[in-house]
Amino acid sequence: MKILVTGGAGYIGSHTAKALARKGFEPVTLDDLSAGQREAVRWGELVEGDFGSREILRGIFVRHKIEAVFHFAASASVGESVRDPRSFYHNNVTNTLTLLDAMLDAGVKTMIFSSSAATYGNPEKVPMPEDHRQLPINPYGETKLAIEQALRWYGAAYGLRWVAFRYFNAAGADPEGEIGERHNPEEHLIPRVIQAVLGAIPEVQIYGTDYPTQDGTAVRDYIHVSDLADAHVLGLEYLQKGGESATFNLGTSTGHSVRKVIEMVEKVSRKRVPFSEAPRRAGDPPALVADGSKAMRAFGWQPQHPDLETIVKTAWRWHAVSSRSAAPQR
């Protein structure tokens, strides 16, 4: 069974392509490599191109006999979405609607969609269940919510079957060390803390130390990227077995503060993390933690790497090896 993986050269997409291959599926990656890494595509063919191109999509569906789509390709920076909402609506909404139409034209009626906890906005209760009110506070969250809504209507009108996963904070790296997390610029906390230890950046900043949390810093739910990838494969199998289209949170239901993350990187690396304190960033809530029980009940998903130490260890190993291999040879 061939699966089209849009954005499969990216962080989550590449880990999911590996998970698909392990379960006997054949991933076909579509990525324009504007953010993804060519070397991360190790499972299945890479088609280099824009997922908003009708011509490219038509060719892939005809040539590969695609049976389902895993849709990761998107513009994903919250801050950039505020500065340039036009490009986010074009890429995340217009291009995704083009993809959905191309799927229907090709008779492909199964999608696993990469959504986000950003669709919720500020939490009204923690942990956050799937029926939590959705009031996004940035264009990125708005675009993900728009596609969730489109999926519901396309399902009702055209028989599209779908699962939308709302991620919390994907983190860590492939436990076997084959792939990891690399963004440019890097905005995620754990890799930035590691970069500060390795000297790739001067320091990491703690934005806000006066939150109503245990140590005053923001709390987030970190989920290992391989657990997240496994959930996507389980989501496909759930639909294949007749499961109803639905949205699911993906998180561990446990939160960790910024200071806790820094302490864990220091423990794992045995090095001091250079950091400074800065004011809160606008729109950052004190705590975002998932209620992940729905996915566990629906298709038996259970995180295999739920603890922060394991997440940081896999990330540290991958970044440490990558930094050595990237260092100039003498």
Side-chain angles (χ1 to χ4, degrees):
M1 182 175 181
K2 289 192 174 183
I3 311 296
L4 175 61
V5 183
T6 72
Y11 175 44
I12 300 172
S14 60
H15 284 81
T16 304
K18 179 175 182 175
L20 282 166
R22 276 187 163 178
K23 292 298 290 285
F25 298 100
E26 184 176 345
V28 177
T29 289
L30 173 60
D31 201 301
D32 64 6
L33 301 181
S34 60
Q37 312 294 322
R38 186 183 300 274
E39 60 270 23
V41 183
R42 303 186 181 191
W43 300 273
E45 179 182 337
L46 168 64
V47 179
E48 188 173 347
D50 185 353
F51 78 95
S53 167
R54 292 179 183 272
E55 183 178 354
I56 290 174
L57 290 170
R58 188 181 304 114
I60 292 172
F61 286 124
V62 170
R63 185 168 67 254
H64 290 283
K65 304 290 192 297
I66 299 295
E67 295 186 52
V69 175
F70 281 42
H71 183 35
F72 298 99
S75 301
S77 167
V78 169
E80 184 64 24
S81 78
V82 176
R83 294 187 292 271
D84 187 15
R86 177 180 178 178
S87 68
F88 273 68
Y89 274 90
H90 176 75
N91 197 38
N92 295 0
V93 178
T94 303
N95 285 351
T96 298
L97 293 177
T98 298
L99 171 62
L100 286 170
D101 290 347
M103 288 174 60
L104 294 179
D105 290 344
V108 179
K109 293 191 175 183
T110 302
M111 173 178 275
I112 309 297
F113 175 58
S114 168
S115 189
S116 171
T119 64
Y120 291 122
N122 290 318
E124 296 175 355
K125 56 182 175 180
V126 176
M128 303 170 75
E130 285 83 357
D131 61 0
H132 187 288
R133 186 163 56 163
Q134 290 178 283
L135 291 172
I137 58 175
N138 52 65
Y140 170 66
E142 290 277 9
T143 61
K144 290 294 188 178
L145 180 55
I147 297 305
E148 283 193 17
Q149 293 167 337
L151 290 174
R152 295 187 185 99
W153 290 112
Y154 273 56
Y158 311 119
L160 181 73
R161 306 187 69 244
W162 55 272
V163 162
F165 286 119
R166 296 174 187 155
Y167 306 161
F168 280 65
N169 288 62
D174 173 38
E176 296 174 351
E178 294 187 281
I179 45 179
E181 182 173 13
R182 181 182 290 126
H183 301 106
N184 186 23
E186 183 57 72
E187 297 183 345
H188 294 174
L189 178 62
I190 290 176
R192 283 191 62 80
V193 175
I194 292 173
Q195 286 178 346
V197 170
L198 294 173
I201 59 175
E203 63 180 15
V204 65
Q205 287 188 304
I206 300 176
Y207 293 102
T209 58
D210 58 348
Y211 284 106
T213 60
Q214 188 171 8
D215 62 20
T217 63
V219 170
R220 296 293 183 265
D221 186 339
Y222 295 93
I223 172 176
H224 196 283
V225 64
S226 293
D227 289 331
L228 193 153
D230 289 341
H232 285 69
V233 180
L234 289 171
L236 174 61
E237 294 174 339
Y238 158 83
L239 289 177
Q240 290 177 322
K241 294 173 183 176
E244 293 185 359
S245 298
T247 56
F248 297 95
N249 287 335
L250 290 181
T252 65
S253 303
T254 302
H256 301 284
S257 71
V258 174
R259 288 197 192 279
K260 179 66 174 177
V261 169
I262 290 173
E263 290 170 4
M264 186 58 71
V265 172
E266 289 183 332
K267 176 183 176 180
V268 168
S269 68
R270 300 181 180 179
K271 299 177 183 292
R272 188 185 70 83
V273 173
F275 68 88
S276 62
E277 297 177 358
R280 297 186 191 186
R281 293 180 298 191
D284 274 353
L288 289 175
V289 179
D291 179 347
S293 61
K294 182 180 175 182
M296 297 176 188
R297 292 192 307 269
F299 44 81
W301 175 67
Q302 188 69 45
Q304 299 302 302
H305 315 283
D307 59 291
L308 182 61
E309 184 168 0
T310 299
I311 290 171
V312 170
K313 279 182 176 178
T314 60
W316 169 254
R317 285 197 296 266
W318 188 82
H319 282 281
V321 170
S322 296
S323 67
R324 289 197 296 269
S325 63
Q329 301 298 310
R330 299 190 180 188

